[in-house]
């Protein structure tokens, strides 16, 4: 099984003060998410640490830079690396 990459895109939160997004990943649908990456407030991320043939499940949160508060999880998205 080789290594691959998956590009993920989402709609950025319109809440004031959002400075970061946290990307959580799991190999189980609906549970088991762990923090995978923290990125600046952007609308995309390429996951380069995936294994071919494995389905990954992602949720994203928005983080307010001044309060440190994190939003609830986004809707789940899934992708399978080829």
């Amino acid at each position: 099984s080789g290594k691959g990459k998956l590009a993920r895109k989402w709609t950025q939160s319109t809440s004031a003060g959002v400075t970061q997004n946290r990307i959580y990943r799991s190999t189980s649908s609906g549970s088991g998410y762990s923090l995978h990456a923290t990125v600046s407030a952007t609308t995309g991320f390429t996951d380069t640490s995936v294994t071919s043939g494995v389905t990954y499940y992602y949720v994203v949160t928005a983080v307010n830079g001044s309060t440190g508060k994190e939003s609830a999880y986004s809707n789940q998205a899934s992708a399978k690396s080829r």
Side-chain angles (χ1 to χ4, degrees):
S1 63
K3 294 289 182 182
K5 63 183 179 179
L6 293 170
R8 305 279 70 207
K9 293 186 184 270
W10 58 86
T11 302
Q12 182 58 49
S13 169
T14 57
S15 298
V18 172
T19 60
Q20 290 182 329
N21 290 114
R22 291 182 181 153
I23 296 107
Y24 294 83
R25 186 178 84 174
S26 176
T27 53
S28 300
S29 180
S31 66
Y33 303 113
S34 60
L35 181 61
H36 185 62
T38 300
V39 297
S40 62
T42 183
T43 58
F45 167 75
T46 299
D47 190 348
T48 58
S49 62
V50 297
T51 300
S52 296
V54 175
T55 300
Y56 294 93
Y57 301 89
Y58 297 88
V59 292
V60 177
T61 63
V63 181
N64 183 300
S66 52
T67 66
K69 289 187 178 178
E70 184 174 11
S71 72
Y73 288 155
S74 67
N75 291 333
Q76 177 182 273
S78 64
K80 184 175 185 175
S81 179
R82 297 174 193 229

